[in-house]
């Protein structure tokens, strides 16, 4: 019975994963056809795919099953990139096109490390959510901030130079504050840390990744 429940849980988790991924890709493909730029649809894919982690935590208990999702997405995105099957994932700067492949690859490494108890599950959750949500939001807000208030738009579109290139104030702020929120939520749910330690950890982690 235990083996059957494990198998059923794994199958359900993988089916949900693949259904969600293909629905996401189809959805952003439609958005791109209606005029949403690829820089925005790529960020939406990145944020959406990150939610796979919650399915893994609920349904997938073995490292092998947990790795199937991110590794298969590495293959899927590589094929889409190589054969230009979905223009919604193409970045105007060709050098950045591999980022959509690196993301699931790094996710796979973090997943393996967590499932073999090399790192705590809370650390893996924090890393994956910041990698997906925070980085995706930074790009989305930094490049596509709503233009309803020109003064606010101009303020958040201010740029400054970094070793990784020019960054906007809006995108950097989105990265920092979303990372703070993620660390607080994860540590509050997954650990018994005191509030002062959670807040200190959130500021340190968010400051470092920003």
């Amino acid at each position: 019975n235990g083996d059957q429940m494990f198998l059923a849980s794994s199958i359900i988790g993988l089916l949900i994963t693949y259904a969600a991924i293909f629905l996401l890709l189809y959805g952003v493909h439609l958005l791109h056809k209606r005029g949403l730029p690829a820089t925005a649809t790529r960020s939406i894919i990145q944020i959406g795919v990150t939610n796979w982690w919650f399915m893994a935590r609920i349904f997938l208990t073995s490292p092998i099953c947990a790795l199937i999702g991110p590794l298969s997405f590495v293959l899927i995105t590589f094929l889409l990139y190589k054969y230009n099957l979905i223009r919604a994932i193409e970045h105007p700067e060709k050098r950045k096109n591999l980022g959509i492949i690196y993301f699931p690859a790094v996710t796979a490494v973090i997943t393996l490390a967590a499932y073999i108890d090399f790192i705590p599950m809370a650390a893996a959750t924090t890393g994956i959510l910041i990698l997906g949500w925070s980085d995706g939001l930074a790009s989305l807000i930094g490049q596509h901030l709503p233009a309803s208030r020109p003064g606010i738009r101009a303020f958040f579109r201010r740029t400054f130079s970094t070793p990784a290139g020019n960054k906007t104030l809006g995108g950097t702020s989105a990265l920092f504050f979303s990372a703070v929120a993620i660390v607080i939520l994860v540590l509050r749910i997954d650990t018994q840390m005191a509030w002062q330690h959670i807040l200190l950890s959130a500021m340190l982690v968010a400051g470092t990744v920003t």
Side-chain angles (χ1 to χ4, degrees), residues 46 56 69 126 149:
Q46 182 175 344
T126 301
R149 298 198 177 187

Side-chain angles (χ1 to χ4, degrees), residues 14-26 48-49 52 55:
L14 291 173
L15 287 175
I16 293 174
T17 295
Y18 285 117
I21 286 174
F22 284 109
L23 282 173
L24 177 65
L25 290 174
Y26 181 68
V49 168
W52 157 86
M55 294 299 101

Side-chain angles (χ1 to χ4, degrees), residues 4 7 52 55 60 88 95 97 137 155 180 186-187 190:
Q4 290 178 343
L7 180 61
W52 157 86
M55 294 299 101
L60 307 176
R95 67 182 180 85
N97 273 327
L137 282 172
F155 177 77
V180 168
V186 172
L187 294 184
D190 276 0

Side-chain angles (χ1 to χ4, degrees), residues 15-206:
L15 287 175
I16 293 174
T17 295
Y18 285 117
I21 286 174
F22 284 109
L23 282 173
L24 177 65
L25 290 174
Y26 181 68
V28 295
H29 171 67
L30 294 179
L31 290 173
H32 185 60
K33 286 183 67 175
R34 294 189 177 188
L36 196 65
T39 49
T41 52
R42 281 167 60 95
S43 296
I44 293 171
I45 290 173
Q46 182 175 344
I47 294 168
V49 168
T50 303
N51 297 316
W52 157 86
W53 179 248
F54 299 116
M55 294 299 101
R57 292 284 305 265
I58 295 170
F59 294 105
L60 307 176
T61 57
S62 77
I64 294 175
C65 292
L67 283 172
I68 291 175
L71 289 179
S72 61
F73 197 63
V74 171
L75 178 61
I76 291 168
T77 51
F78 173 75
L79 293 174
L80 293 176
Y81 158 75
K82 183 174 177 62
Y83 296 105
N84 297 318
L85 298 177
I86 297 184
R87 295 193 177 277
I89 69 169
E90 293 182 10
H91 196 282
E93 296 181 44
K94 293 298 182 183
R95 67 182 180 85
K96 293 187 177 182
N97 273 327
L98 291 176
I100 200 72
I101 301 172
Y102 295 150
F103 168 64
V106 174
T107 299
V109 173
I110 297 174
T111 299
L112 178 61
Y115 272 77
I116 63 173
D117 294 324
F118 184 73
I119 61 174
M121 194 61 75
T125 301
T126 301
I128 288 174
L129 295 187
I130 289 176
L131 187 66
W133 287 359
S134 297
D135 187 59
L137 282 172
S139 177
L140 203 57
I141 292 175
Q143 298 183 65
H144 305 284
L145 197 70
S148 57
R149 298 198 177 187
I152 295 177
R153 179 182 174 86
F155 177 77
F156 281 104
R157 279 291 183 88
R158 291 180 180 177
T159 61
F160 53 92
S161 298
T162 74
N166 289 335
K167 301 298 177 183
T168 64
L169 181 59
T172 303
S173 299
L175 177 64
F176 177 79
F177 288 110
S178 62
V180 168
I182 287 168
V183 175
I184 290 174
L185 286 172
V186 172
L187 294 184
R188 186 62 180 165
I189 294 170
D190 276 0
T191 73
Q192 301 296 319
M193 289 176 64
W195 264 111
Q196 62 268 29
H197 295 151
I198 290 176
L199 293 174
L200 177 60
S201 299
M203 297 301 291
L204 288 174
V205 170

